[in-house]
Amino acid sequence: MKRDDKKLSIIGAGAVGTAAAQWAVTRSVADTIVLLDVVEGLPQGKALDLVQTSPLTGSEADVLGTNDYADTADSDVVIITAGLARRPGMSRGDLLDKNVQIIREVTEEVARYSPNACLIVVTNPIDAMVYTVFKVSGFPKQHVVGMAGVLDSARYRTFIAQALDVAPRDVTALVMGIHGDNMLPLVRLASVGGVPVEALLSKEEIEEIVYRTQHGGAEIVGHLKTGSAFSCPGLAAVEMAQSILRDEKRVLPCAVYLEGEFGISGIFLGVPVVLGRDGVERILEFPLSQEEQEALGRSVEAVKRQIAATGL
Ligand code: A3D
């Protein structure tokens, strides 16, 4: 590797980890992309398959599949997807006990080999897992961030675009709070080409979109039956990684450690932030209406219950 080369490691070569690797290779977000899993052969086979897309995509990234954390050494960004995914009828809460144990082990290894990396956590229940990574790694709060808001906002924007029959990329909309039923898709600030969505859709239409966004993960699990969403979650994580690796300073909703922002302290929760070379470079705080503040309060209570269940 040359001195300025960028390295991205992805822990967990399951559905989300593989999708993230595929997006990362296609977009050439790093010079070296490492895919790691506990299952022998799985990351090696997937990495080989991915690197063979290079002649077709023009990607110049090196792709390595491994079971050895030494191969992830000196990563700039590590995306953590290791763990169990939700099955039908299984809540994100049910996942907690099993995934805390996995996340502890993964974090210790990642922190040992890449002490300066920014860590993007995807494993559910995300708001508690990212807290676990923060506590176990001892990394600065700027270097630990949870992926959920980018995915939830993409779902929200998609549903608004479909309702209005407009280009999805022209919809600007933000989902804050927990990754779960209590998430807060902000209606007041949703706009399409600068025009408020509230002026274009009825209250009932908006309520339906908000509900569908809040249950967007479960809707997909209901169809897939044996797994959960992976394509958009993988891309959402790569969108965040890319902003850090290329110092893009994108404004993205991410689960970050709050110390008084929005009146909340001591937990990770989804809020809009600037992601750049230094990780979470700024939290963009703004006044919420009383109703929004109350809704965010419900997220806070739900996250606190999850954190209490981790025993940390
Ligand atoms: P899956 O396809 O089961 O992949 C998980 C992978 O983790 C498997 O290949 C396992 O072998 C691997 N693994 C298990 N333990 C370890 C370990 N100790 N070290 C390294 N690898 C390990 O699941 P998935 O990819 O569909 O989902 C992964 C996680 O992301 C789950 O917890 C999901 O719930 C979560 N997820 C979160 C979102 C968010 O928006 C936050 C969206 C989609 C999935």
Side-chain angles (χ1 to χ4, degrees):
M1 261 176 59
K2 295 196 290 287
R3 207 163 58 88
D4 295 340
D5 279 1
K6 295 290 182 192
K7 184 168 178 177
L8 168 68
S9 290
I10 299 166
I11 313 301
V16 177
T18 304
Q22 185 166 349
W23 289 114
V25 171
T26 307
R27 288 185 165 195
S28 294
V29 297
D31 303 279
T32 306
I33 296 165
V34 179
L35 187 58
L36 182 144
D37 201 285
V38 275
V39 179
E40 282 182 27
L42 182 73
Q44 289 85 349
K46 291 197 168 180
L48 200 52
D49 185 26
L50 275 174
V51 81
Q52 290 165 3
T53 65
S54 305
L56 307 180
T57 62
S59 172
E60 292 180 357
D62 283 333
V63 190
L64 174 74
T66 185
N67 307 112
D68 184 354
Y69 278 90
D71 290 322
T72 69
D74 300 321
S75 292
D76 298 284
V77 174
V78 179
I79 297 175
I80 299 176
T81 76
L84 304 183
R86 267 198 305 168
R87 300 284 180 263
M90 192 180 185
S91 73
R92 290 190 178 94
D94 294 337
L95 283 178
L96 192 128
D97 289 348
K98 292 207 163 72
N99 284 349
V100 165
Q101 188 51 39
I102 291 172
I103 286 298
R104 271 181 171 277
E105 291 165 18
V106 167
T107 304
E108 281 164 10
E109 293 292 327
V110 166
R112 186 148 73 95
Y113 284 102
S114 299
N116 300 314
C118 287
L119 310 181
I120 299 174
V121 185
V122 180
T123 306
N124 270 322
I126 181 64
D127 303 279
M129 291 306 117
V130 66
Y131 182 88
T132 305
V133 169
F134 177 57
K135 288 290 172 189
V136 173
S137 67
F139 280 16
K141 62 178 183 176
Q142 291 83 358
H143 279 201
V144 183
V145 56
M147 188 293 290
V150 178
L151 169 67
D152 295 328
S153 300
R155 287 178 175 155
Y156 189 31
R157 292 167 64 196
T158 302
F159 299 147
I160 291 171
Q162 287 173 347
L164 289 169
D165 193 20
V166 299
R169 66 179 168 175
D170 287 336
V171 179
T172 302
L174 168 66
V175 177
M176 290 175 63
I178 191 173
H179 182 56
D181 301 351
N182 283 307
M183 72 177 72
L184 173 59
L186 282 161
V187 173
R188 184 173 56 95
L189 301 177
S191 64
V192 46
V195 180
V197 166
E198 276 180 309
L200 303 173
L201 291 173
S202 70
K203 198 165 171 288
E204 292 70 33
E205 286 171 314
I206 292 174
E207 275 171 9
E208 206 175 298
I209 289 170
V210 165
Y211 182 88
R212 198 171 173 201
T213 303
Q214 288 167 328
H215 299 86
E219 185 178 355
I220 292 175
V221 171
H223 285 296
L224 294 179
K225 306 226 169 24
T226 54
S228 58
F230 52 91
S231 198
C232 196
L235 178 56
V238 168
E239 190 94 330
M240 292 164 64
Q242 181 177 315
S243 191
I244 297 167
L245 290 163
R246 295 189 187 159
D247 194 26
E248 289 178 335
K249 305 202 189 296
R250 298 284 312 279
V251 176
L252 300 170
C254 302
V256 297
Y257 192 66
L258 297 176
E259 288 181 303
E261 297 88 353
F262 296 96
I264 302 162
S265 285
I267 61 167
F268 278 76
L269 201 68
V271 296
V273 304
V274 178
L275 285 187
R277 182 191 294 122
D278 298 325
V280 180
E281 297 191 346
R282 246 179 322 147
I283 294 172
L284 300 188
E285 199 179 359
F286 62 95
L288 294 174
S289 69
Q290 196 184 334
E291 198 186 331
E292 290 161 353
Q293 195 72 55
E294 282 167 14
L296 205 61
R298 288 192 286 278
S299 274
V300 172
E301 292 315 311
V303 171
K304 283 186 176 166
R305 281 194 296 276
Q306 281 183 6
I307 290 175
T310 66
L312 282 164

